[in-house]
Amino acid sequence: MTTTQATVTIDKAQTPWRRGMRRFVRNKLAMIGVAIIVFFLLFCFVGPLFWQTDQVHTDLKSAMLPPGSPGHPLGTNDLGYDVLGRLMQGGQISILIGLAAGVLATGIGTLWGAIAGYVGGGVDAVMMRVVDAGIAIPATFLLLILSTILQPSVGLMILVIGLVSWLVPARLVRAESISLKSREYVMAIRAMGGTHARAVIKHIVPNTVGTIVVNATFQVADAILLVAYVSFLGMGLQAPATDWGAMLTGGMTYTYSGAWWLIFPAGICIVLTVVAFNAIGDGLRDFFDVKGH
């Protein structure tokens, strides 16, 4: 047996999950993305246990200290808050909102798209016109309007971002559902008297899990960016709560004063986190690629 034949035989003997993991691990950018996300999760949620700072009470005597000052490795802002501790607190809120809103948007979009694609006909036409109308309205515009009407909070931002971000996954899942509803196992369950709900939940949705999981990572990245956009425009959470976007807003005031430490750390965190989630999404696409080798 040649080396090539042996490799093919071993590959066929492996489970789809193992083959997918092998493709995922081979994706260097995806592995770097995983490492970055793990780092930020530890930095934001475990870091405060070791680096405890007061992010509630202002200390004007310690305001605008440069990086490297005693007790403040990354300096302080205009209110005397430690920037390193601020990054941890802001990261908690940014990542929490991003993950929760991404999961909410993916869940709503999955059910909407699965039902529209499976039922078809007039129901599909009406449901997808709703999606088209929603996509035509910029999500940032809706967030800014709601932020002026309602008092921003973590729960509200999760809800609002989730409700404006489900449109893209809905279209993706609908396309999958249209092709899946004609499969033998779906037609068999209907022939045996199974309900439409059972067909959607037991067969349509599970068979679109690849599309759902990959899109979920992109939804999380988009949600983190939306939080940063709204906060950067001054419509985010109210002080003393903060996120990375709000830190950018506060730092912009002192741009010409040379206080770079108020801008670059938060900006770098946003860029790295969003790029990492996108890289993981690309890796998951390889993981679920049944045609991959």
Side-chain angles (χ1 to χ4, degrees):
M1 181 181 295
T2 64
T3 303
T4 304
Q5 290 175 331
T7 302
V8 173
T9 302
I10 294 173
D11 185 69
K12 289 182 178 179
Q14 291 180 338
T15 63
W17 189 88
R18 287 186 177 181
R19 289 197 297 269
M21 279 301 300
R22 186 180 64 182
R23 292 193 295 269
F24 183 85
V25 171
R26 284 179 176 176
N27 191 321
K28 302 300 182 183
L29 289 179
M31 296 306 298
I32 293 174
V34 170
I36 291 174
I37 296 303
V38 170
F39 166 77
F40 276 115
L41 289 175
L42 293 175
F43 173 75
C44 296
F45 294 94
V46 180
L49 299 178
F50 300 93
W51 186 259
Q52 299 179 0
T53 59
D54 186 354
Q55 297 293 327
V56 177
H57 304 94
T58 60
D59 183 9
L60 297 181
K61 295 181 180 179
S62 302
M64 301 302 291
L65 294 177
S69 300
H72 305 288
L74 293 181
T76 61
N77 65 3
D78 56 325
L79 297 178
Y81 293 133
D82 179 71
V83 173
L84 181 59
R86 203 78 172 153
L87 279 176
M88 295 177 182
Q89 178 182 317
Q92 289 181 8
I93 294 176
S94 294
I95 294 174
L96 175 62
I97 294 177
L99 289 173
V103 171
L104 178 61
T106 302
I108 296 174
T110 297
L111 289 177
W112 190 278
I115 293 171
Y118 176 78
V119 177
V123 174
D124 177 42
V126 172
M127 293 179 71
M128 295 316 295
R129 295 299 77 74
V130 173
V131 172
D132 293 339
I135 291 177
I137 304 174
T140 307
F141 176 72
L142 290 176
L143 285 171
L144 290 176
I145 292 177
L146 291 174
S147 296
T148 58
I149 298 174
L150 303 173
Q151 181 68 31
S153 64
V154 173
L156 178 63
M157 294 189 76
I158 291 173
L159 180 63
V160 172
I161 293 176
L163 292 178
V164 300
S165 302
W166 62 271
L167 304 168
V168 173
R171 298 184 72 172
L172 293 174
V173 174
R174 171 188 175 265
E176 294 278 345
S177 299
I178 291 176
S179 64
L180 289 172
K181 71 178 182 180
S182 59
R183 300 289 177 86
E184 291 80 3
Y185 51 83
V186 177
M187 298 177 68
I189 194 174
R190 295 293 302 132
M192 291 186 295
T195 62
H196 292 297
R198 180 178 176 82
V200 170
I201 296 174
K202 295 293 185 179
H203 292 284
I204 300 295
V205 172
N207 281 283
T208 60
V209 65
T211 300
I212 294 170
V213 172
V214 172
N215 184 258
T217 59
F218 297 133
Q219 290 298 318
V220 172
D222 290 343
I224 292 175
L225 278 178
L226 281 174
V227 174
Y229 290 157
V230 175
S231 298
F232 182 76
L233 295 174
M235 300 294 181
L237 301 175
Q238 300 300 312
T242 189
D243 57 73
W244 288 334
M247 292 181 67
L248 284 178
T249 303
M252 288 296 291
T253 307
Y254 302 94
T255 301
Y256 297 105
S257 300
W260 57 268
W261 62 90
L262 300 182
I263 301 175
F264 283 100
I268 291 172
C269 288
I270 294 173
V271 172
L272 287 178
T273 304
V274 172
V275 171
F277 273 112
N278 284 323
I280 292 173
D282 289 335
L284 289 173
R285 185 182 288 115
D286 294 338
F287 179 91
F288 290 106
D289 183 13
V290 296
K291 297 180 181 179
H293 298 290

